[in-house]
Amino acid sequence: MLMQDFAASLSFKALPEDVLKVLRRSLLDSIGVAAIGAQTDMARIGTKTARAMFGATSASAARCLFDGHLASLAGAAMAGAMTIDSIDAHDGTSPCKGHAGSAIFPALLALADERSMTGQDFATYLALAYEISYRAGLTQHDTCADYHTSGAWTAVGVAAMTARVIGCNPMQIREAAGIGEYHGPRSQMMRCIDHPTMVRDGVGWGAPAGVTAGFLALNGFTGAPALTCEGPHWQELGETWKLVTDTHYKPYPCCRWAHPSIDAAADLMAEHSITHQQISSVEIKTFHNATRLAGHRPTTADEFAYSIAFPVACMIVRGQIGPAELAPETLKDPEILRISTATHLIDDPHLTQISEGKRWAQVSLRLRDGRMFESSPRSPRGDVDMPLTDAEMTEKFHLFADPILGVKTAQTVENLCTNFDQLDAPGLQSLLDLILSKPQI
């Protein structure tokens, strides 16, 4: 099936239960990440700038995520994407080396805030945007030498979704995808890995580029053919779902590349009853790109997010990496810094070779008494082969959302997300009102 026909014809009845389960998980997870993300400088700057540069008009207005102020649809999508992307804990896809929900959710929330949608509508639009984004991402990584950020390929999925939402026909959807691909941010991810800043994963520009592409297509603008919407990854579109096989969830708010090392360190500590005071040094063997995370002494939230030594040290010292570990004072914790600076990263050719679609690492802990404990090579929790349980997903959501929204409101949000696809239009609007308003706690 052609991409444009899939986007134009997909119905809620065609969505398998395993697709809906992923969408429910991703919605709850993204909202929790957005809640804590809204407290960051990146989110505040992004939202303030979006409102100033892409303000609301009489023809286009939507509320900004966890802010409540109005912006244009593109502006609200930009603000929301930067809000979610400010905390590196949102859902992802290892085969695409990136994230789709951080662009898709804020774009669809902006579109939904301007028009009436049921939960079934919302789920259908999410499913087509995720599936198109994933397949576009896989194609781009196969055909481009550079490793581009998620904004590059989510712009395609968001464009197709926007075009469907606003009533475009299949040929207009095709044009929208081409416009989104052409104008999407072809930002080079490794530049942010080497020099971590607020540019992050590029979705802050991918989301508004996709929204704008949809409206351009509706108004007759034409685009270059979307090269990422052709090729082998588009076989069996509508029959199989990359959304189901490729989506992962993060237990920790930092780059996915650090997660297998964090999990390995945590397991070694627990298995051998090791305390952080006993550790003299840490050795991490991992794939090449992960060694470029480094980050032995991060000084900003962005450097923390794109590091590996420091988050591993956080897990060793504190036994967790949650909201408390995102606080600025954590970056000055002397014991975490001691272990982080005593961590040696090794670029392992074998782990690099097998880290295609998966992320691998092996950790060794050397104790002050000379003993050494070594893990087996492993991939991270949260992938399809080692999924987080429903209880773990719920715990993560409340860990992030409760301090920001309050326990009662957070519970209401969870209840609405659990079966959001069954909400009628007023029910979905109730959910929007909770997450598109400034928290009152």
Side-chain angles (χ1 to χ4, degrees), residues 151-172:
W153 43 271
T154 54
V156 179
V158 170
M161 176 187 72
T162 300
R164 165 70 185 270
V165 170
I166 63 179
C168 288
N169 61 40
M171 290 311 298
Q172 290 171 317

Side-chain angles (χ1 to χ4, degrees), residues 59-116:
S60 172
R63 290 171 290 177
C64 294
L65 184 60
F66 285 121
D67 175 79
H69 290 99
L70 293 174
S72 67
L73 300 187
M78 174 183 177
M82 289 187 174
T83 295
I84 296 175
D85 202 27
S86 69
I87 300 293
D88 203 344
H90 38 84
D91 69 357
T93 161
S94 291
C96 287
K97 298 183 285 189
H99 311 270
S102 51
I104 293 168
F105 278 110
L108 184 54
L109 289 170
L111 292 163
D113 199 35
E114 195 186 48
R115 53 186 46 79
S116 178

